[in-house]
Amino acid sequence: EQRRQFPGRWLFDHPRAPPLLIRTCLGLCGGLNDRLGQLPWDLYLANQTQRLLLLHWHRPVPLEAFLRPHRGGDKDDANWILDWTVPPTATPGAWFVGSDDTGIIVPRKDLQQVRQGIPDMFAGSAADRPDETFWTEHFPVALERARTYSWESDNPQNDNNNNNNNTTATTRPSSPRILRHRLLGHLHESILEGYLRDLGETDLLHSTPSFGLLFGLFFRPSPALQAAWQQLPRELDLLSLSSSSSSSLSTTTTTRVVDTAVHCRVRHPKFTTHLQLGKNDQYPADKT
């Protein structure tokens, strides 16, 4: 509803547009789980701060090169079930580059404009490497601070309820309307589950089918990814041939075999002159 009410750059520029929270990747952001496995945290933060959640990658390429929002109806229907994209026309100065399938890397100057132009929700703390101090001290403060956005404080002159003698709107503390974050919470899922329990939730997402349902609600493969996925079984020899014949006809058909999927993780040597078995004896599997 908010996306329909504030299309395109209005989402960023209109004085009545809702506050935004954008999960960004402005550099080294880890692997796929570090980026998209944080959806439960993203939704919790957006819910608790009453902000519209958007997702955007600057590195290695825009997320839309791989995944697109889930569209409702037929393929030509403009009604999105959930549109998490940053509008290609958002804000002057190329803070965000319009995404496509070309895989163009966002220029470094645009990364700097985002860093300088959009405040980090967890500024001053290591949200990408959270420790106990972060969760007990920094996180509650940042969450409360992000809740304090006030439309009136941003737009006192546009509020018909204000007059020259009313200074409440201009003096009321308020967080920025647009915030970004890159919280890495996959090693602290139990903390989020505790917050969910406090809200009376019984579905804690991580160990139930709900995470997969959320992922499907957010994402559909891009045309390029879909084409690669359709080609992959042939390249990996995961196709079987079956023959059938009759008195007048003989045919051979190709069927897809999807009995088992195997995820292999290959660790690479550190970029040093000597291979290392690990950071220390307690961490022996570090990029060996």
Side-chain angles (χ1 to χ4, degrees):
E1 178 61 33
Q2 295 283 1
R3 297 301 298 259
R4 285 193 290 269
Q5 187 176 354
F6 300 100
R9 64 181 297 170
W10 275 18
L11 191 63
F12 277 66
D13 297 347
H14 196 284
R16 285 286 189 179
L20 306 177
L21 178 64
I22 310 173
R23 172 173 280 278
T24 58
C25 174
L26 301 175
L28 296 176
C29 302
L32 191 63
N33 184 59
D34 294 338
R35 296 162 180 252
L36 299 182
Q38 314 300 307
L39 274 178
W41 272 114
D42 295 336
L43 291 169
Y44 177 79
L45 294 176
N47 173 270
Q48 291 299 296
T49 60
Q50 293 296 289
R51 292 173 178 269
L52 189 66
L53 176 64
L54 304 179
L55 309 174
H56 192 86
W57 291 1
H58 285 79
R59 288 288 187 267
V61 295
L63 174 56
E64 291 89 330
F66 308 106
L67 299 171
R68 300 290 175 85
H70 190 173
R71 191 192 298 265
D74 59 42
K75 66 179 181 179
D76 297 323
D77 188 354
N79 293 321
W80 303 101
I81 292 179
L82 194 157
D83 187 1
W84 41 262
T85 61
V86 171
T89 57
T91 68
W95 283 6
F96 297 90
V97 172
S99 303
D100 53 28
D101 286 321
T102 60
I104 297 175
I105 295 179
V106 180
R108 186 170 295 276
K109 64 180 178 63
D110 295 333
L111 303 183
Q112 294 301 325
Q113 291 189 42
V114 173
R115 288 193 180 102
Q116 297 169 6
I118 300 182
D120 188 337
M121 176 177 172
F122 299 104
S125 60
D128 58 334
R129 300 181 303 277
D131 55 15
E132 183 177 354
T133 300
F134 171 84
W135 293 114
T136 58
E137 299 180 13
H138 300 294
F139 181 82
V141 172
L143 188 65
E144 187 60 32
R145 183 172 59 225
R147 288 172 170 150
T148 61
Y149 173 73
S150 166
W151 183 90
E152 291 84 358
S153 63
D154 272 0
N155 305 275
Q157 70 279 11
N158 295 327
D159 190 348
N160 294 329
N161 295 325
N162 289 336
N163 54 53
N164 294 333
N165 296 323
N166 185 359
T167 60
T168 302
T170 60
T171 58
R172 179 180 177 181
S174 175
S175 68
R177 188 176 70 83
I178 303 175
L179 292 173
R180 59 181 171 89
H181 90 99
R182 56 158 300 189
L183 174 65
L184 186 59
H186 71 289
L187 297 180
H188 302 90
E189 292 176 352
S190 60
I191 295 178
L192 174 59
E193 291 172 358
Y195 286 133
L196 295 177
R197 289 190 187 94
D198 291 343
L199 294 174
E201 298 289 346
T202 56
D203 186 338
L204 304 183
L205 301 178
H206 298 112
S207 58
T208 72
S210 297
F211 182 90
L213 296 174
L214 283 174
F215 199 91
L217 183 65
F218 269 75
F219 304 116
R220 285 294 184 270
S222 69
L225 182 63
Q226 183 67 38
W229 172 249
Q230 291 173 343
Q231 179 63 23
L232 189 63
R234 187 177 302 277
E235 294 178 357
L236 298 181
D237 197 22
L238 296 178
L239 300 175
S240 65
L241 299 178
S242 59
S243 300
S244 61
S245 62
S246 64
S247 58
S248 60
L249 181 66
S250 177
T251 62
T252 299
T253 60
T254 301
T255 59
R256 182 188 296 266
V257 178
V258 288
D259 294 330
T260 305
V262 178
H263 177 197
C264 299
R265 301 204 62 168
V266 181
R267 294 187 175 273
H268 54 83
K270 290 186 174 180
F271 190 66
T272 59
T273 55
H274 303 285
L275 296 181
Q276 299 183 12
L277 294 180
K279 294 179 181 178
N280 50 55
D281 293 339
Q282 286 72 45
Y283 202 139
D286 179 56
K287 298 180 176 62
T288 56

